[in-house]
Amino acid sequence: MKRTYRRLVISEDVRLAFRERQAVVALESTVITHGMPYPDNLNTALALEECVRENGAIPATIAVIDGLVRVGLSQDELKSLSQQKKAYKLSRRDLPVALAAKKTGGTTVATTMMIAQEAGIRVFATGGIGGVHRGAESTFDVSADLEELGRTSVCVVSAGAKAVLDLPKTLEVLESKGVPVIGYGCDEFPAFYYRNSGLKTSARMDSPDEVAELLIHKWNLARWPDSMRFDGGVLVANPILQEDALDRDEIEAVITQAIGESQVSGRDVTPFLLSRIGQLTKGKSQLSNHALIQNNAVVAAQIATALVEKIRK
Ligand code: PSU
Ligand code: MN
């Protein structure tokens, strides 16, 4: 059988960035295909790329298009992905199926991490990671994102975990898997739509430089001959800005209502909840989501830039 097998298709922009040792930031695409309605999803995707560039790095949106793993998309490709009604949501288990059957889909945090690592990208920005769902003691619904953070060496910048989750249980699993959870300029784990969950992070850091130093030590990027390397991810929890945050009690009531109405399971849970919360808040949650992801893209670009500078030295 004749087959062409290309593992990764890396865009011209991103290849040039690698060649010139410029900082690169990975961006996920499930937020485009399943996280927001059109045209918000497209506007967010374009704004994120802009935030990364404005902060001195090159964006690489990752997705699967017609069975090819793509690292770096053009504006036209982003537009067409954002309008795709039949795009799949691709987590770790779905990726080989999508490649074999030449599907198109958005990559979740888990798959974006896998692909970023393959491509040599160390820093990745998203909105909020998946985690342990409320009621997981009976449904067993725990996102593959947590497993991936335990094994794949990429730094994920997020506004904590998605607010629909059980945050204490999510933090427990991250601790079990050895994932440093860094409060970025904060002591408490942020709760996505609002800043304070009352839960502790594993450490606090206040600058891109500090995070870059952690990454160098964790993965031994300086190749110190007698140093240890600790494989696995790092979660940088970057709280939403106060002016974009929602009222805690109000949004918690909405989340409880949306969870109560949910009749779906498995991979449909998160997209259903995000869209229902959007309806119930009359779009306010989507505005917050848009703002917090941009804030994460800015910090990710700053960390990626600091990391490149340290490795160059
Ligand atoms: N964060 C957002 N919007 C999203 C997601 C995260 O602000 O749409 C996506 C991410 O791709 C994440 C996925 O990996 O939801 C988690 O889905 P699940 O809980 O089914 O693993
Ligand atoms: Mn799930």
Side-chain angles (χ1 to χ4, degrees):
M1 199 193 338
K2 187 169 175 280
R3 52 183 119 188
T4 18
Y5 186 60
R6 275 187 295 172
R7 287 188 353 164
L8 293 176
V9 181
I10 301 179
S11 73
E12 195 61 47
D13 267 15
V14 174
R15 264 186 290 155
L16 189 66
F18 287 155
R19 222 176 303 138
E20 302 195 335
R21 297 190 187 283
Q22 236 190 312
V24 178
V25 171
L27 299 167
E28 60 142 317
S29 49
T30 292
V31 65
I32 303 174
T33 56
H34 292 76
M36 293 177 186
Y38 181 81
D40 291 359
N41 58 352
L42 176 61
N43 293 335
T44 300
L46 295 173
L48 290 180
E49 297 225 335
E50 200 48 45
C51 287
V52 170
R53 285 186 202 279
E54 276 169 10
N55 286 275
I58 298 298
T61 301
I62 290 177
V64 176
I65 298 179
D66 299 329
L68 290 178
V69 175
R70 303 285 306 268
V71 178
L73 299 180
S74 68
Q75 296 204 350
D76 284 346
E77 288 166 333
L78 284 172
K79 184 161 185 212
S80 121
L81 190 65
S82 70
Q83 292 172 324
Q84 268 268 351
K85 294 219 163 56
K86 280 195 269 170
Y88 291 84
K89 172 178 166 186
L90 306 174
S91 199
R92 175 178 265 270
R93 62 165 189 185
D94 310 299
L95 188 56
V97 179
L99 303 191
K102 301 200 169 22
K103 291 179 176 175
T104 292
T107 49
T108 63
V109 169
T111 19
T112 307
M113 286 182 78
M114 292 168 62
I115 296 165
Q117 173 167 271
E118 273 296 305
I121 302 172
R122 298 282 183 185
V123 185
F124 160 27
T126 181
I129 60 161
V132 181
H133 280 264
R134 301 184 193 182
E137 54 278 26
S138 58
T139 61
F140 275 48
D141 191 349
V142 179
S143 174
D145 293 355
L146 298 183
E147 204 63 51
E148 209 60 48
L149 278 159
R151 69 204 278 180
T152 301
S153 299
V154 170
C155 171
V156 180
V157 182
S158 84
K162 265 167 307 183
V164 300
L165 301 168
D166 185 322
L167 298 184
K169 289 194 183 74
T170 299
L171 285 171
E172 289 297 342
V173 173
L174 287 168
E175 181 177 351
S176 305
K177 296 194 179 296
V179 179
V181 177
I182 308 303
Y184 194 74
C186 62
D187 296 304
E188 280 181 31
F189 191 58
F192 199 71
Y193 297 123
Y194 54 94
R195 291 173 61 87
N196 295 85
S197 66
L199 301 162
K200 285 202 175 67
T201 57
S202 68
R204 172 185 175 134
M205 292 188 177
D206 294 291
S207 67
D209 196 72
E210 256 181 287
V211 178
E213 194 65 28
L214 162 70
L215 301 181
I216 299 248
H217 280 78
K218 181 163 165 54
W219 301 326
N220 190 18
L221 297 178
R223 302 214 167 90
W224 294 303
D226 53 353
S227 184
M228 285 184 284
R229 195 182 81 203
F230 308 96
D231 288 333
V234 170
L235 182 62
V236 172
N238 180 36
I240 187 169
L241 297 174
Q242 189 56 54
E243 66 254 37
D244 301 316
L246 300 180
D247 179 77
R248 179 179 180 148
D249 294 340
E250 265 171 51
I251 191 70
E252 282 301 332
V254 165
I255 291 169
T256 308
Q257 181 181 341
I259 292 174
E261 290 173 6
S262 169
Q263 307 239 347
V264 294
S265 63
R267 67 174 148 216
D268 299 329
V269 173
T270 299
F272 168 80
L273 293 176
L274 291 177
S275 118
R276 187 67 187 128
I277 292 167
Q279 291 167 350
L280 291 170
T281 59
K282 301 194 176 63
K284 269 203 304 193
S285 67
Q286 275 142 0
L287 288 179
S288 292
N289 202 342
H290 180 82
L292 68 84
I293 303 196
Q294 287 197 56
N295 192 26
N296 295 339
V298 170
V299 169
Q302 292 168 347
I303 293 172
T305 306
L307 187 61
V308 162
E309 275 166 21
K310 275 183 190 287
I311 294 173
R312 274 209 196 117
K313 269 185 205 153

